[in-house]
Amino acid sequence: MYAPAAVKTSSDYPIPDTMRAWVLGDPGKLSLTQKPVPVPGRAEVLVRIDAVAICATDLEIIYHGPPASIRGGMPFNRNFTPGHEYMGTVVALGPGVDEYDVGQRVTVEIHAGCGQCKRCREGMYTACHNYGLNYGDVDKGHRANGFTTDGGFCEYQVNNINTLVAIPDDMSDEEATLVVTAGTAMYGLTELGGLVAGESVVVTGPGPIGLLGVAVAKAMGAEPVILTGTRDNRLEIGRALGADHVVNVRNEEAVEAVRRLNGGKGVDYVLECSGAPNAVNEAIRMVNRGGKVCLAAFPHEETPVDVAHIVRNNIYLYGIRGEGKSATHRAQAFMSQKRFDARKIHTHTFPLDDLPTAIRYAKDRVEDAIKVVVKARGVSAAHKLAAE
Ligand SMILES: [Zn+2]
Ligand SMILES: [Zn+2]
């Protein structure tokens, strides 16, 4: 029976000693094994994982490795459990924790900074200078679950209390897994200055972060919000999430279309979520003089950038990592106040044991899959489509 010293549990939430956990072997190879249920330390809780969404970054990690780094190396064959967009129920409290209760439903941020470096002290914990240093004699206490420490494709995980976001009873498990995605979009808009009410915003790339970027920008009062992309079905979801205009860049030249839709002028802000090779050069031409561009996607290749255009036009470029500056809390506030319906991007749910099928749906976009969720309990059918 799970009963570590100084850890508070409840008989309402019995915890086994071992759990089902997927681990990454060679690239693309996941196997279901048993692992010990982890034990929360100081300022940590144990979360029973009720749902976890698959992210494009999980696919990068599972098939290629980066941006995951386990004990300073590639994540393969290291008994590593990926998965980072999870939510669940607090079932055990580490020593001294009174900020959360056993039984409370939470969703999680990915990053717990070391708390002692220059950036953590500034609140930029997703840019922690001790990123990934959590092992051996270089253990600085940093955690990025699913990137540098075990993640959510299992039944239980430990989380620092700073990574927890309480969620309301009427928010479904599936919707709660999307809070961190909306939080990443919110962090992008935060870094751009945040004061986007009445300002023009372009979002490039209708993946999950881009689509929720549209929703968050509209919730913050931006107008117009223009979404660009290559797939009409995704652009339609963007429209349903509040985009004032959508542009299919297969049919129209993106920069010209943006300027036409914004009264012949460049826009104030671009949130770049496509990672396309020409994305930066297009984004710097979409913004007006003095405009700001946030880069939120990981492109595969280095590309030449027209620096002279950036300098001549006093354009600001921001790279963002993850969901920093407590943006996830702000995103959750919009979602619990029903300022937008993130459920529009959830398409499929599978049982945890069917993770390889769920990954195939996400990777190959089977049945136009966008966000695919797996659940350790409560899903019996081979798969079910999202309600409504
Ligand atoms: Zn993600
Ligand atoms: Zn730090």
Side-chain angles (χ1 to χ4, degrees), residues 54-58 84-85 110 147 180-181 184 209 371:
I54 296 169
C55 171
T57 309
D58 292 318
H84 58 271
E85 298 183 354
I110 298 151
F147 289 85
V180 72
T181 309
T184 303
I209 293 174
K371 268 297 184 195

Side-chain angles (χ1 to χ4, degrees), residues 331-372:
Q332 194 286 130
F334 278 158
M335 288 169 67
S336 60
Q337 292 167 38
K338 312 224 184 295
R339 302 286 292 274
F340 57 85
D341 186 0
R343 294 174 302 173
K344 291 187 192 306
I345 71 167
H346 166 239
T347 54
H348 298 79
T349 300
F350 292 91
L352 176 66
D353 290 2
D354 278 351
L355 180 65
T357 309
I359 285 175
R360 184 170 62 80
Y361 267 64
K363 182 165 80 67
D364 299 338
R365 296 174 183 143
V366 178
E367 297 168 3
D368 288 332
I370 304 178
K371 268 297 184 195
V372 180

Side-chain angles (χ1 to χ4, degrees), residues 21-42:
W22 287 93
V23 299
L24 181 59
D26 288 333
K29 297 276 182 296
L30 287 162
S31 51
L32 188 57
T33 62
Q34 291 280 319
K35 279 190 180 182
V37 172
V39 175
R42 202 192 136 271

Side-chain angles (χ1 to χ4, degrees), residues 229-240:
T230 58
R231 278 168 288 160
D232 284 328
N233 60 328
R234 294 279 184 104
L235 294 172
E236 278 315 304
I237 294 169
R239 221 188 259 283

Side-chain angles (χ1 to χ4, degrees), residues 113-121 125 127-131 142:
C114 75
Q116 65 199 47
C117 75
K118 174 180 182 172
R119 292 292 175 242
C120 281
R121 294 287 292 165
Y125 50 87
C128 175
H129 282 182
N130 290 315
Y131 205 104
H142 174 269

Side-chain angles (χ1 to χ4, degrees), residues 203-207 209-210 228-230 271-280 282 294-300:
V203 178
T204 51
I209 293 174
T228 69
T230 58
L271 188 59
E272 205 301 288
C273 303
S274 75
N278 56 348
V280 175
E282 288 192 351
C294 175
L295 306 173
F298 294 100
H300 271 262

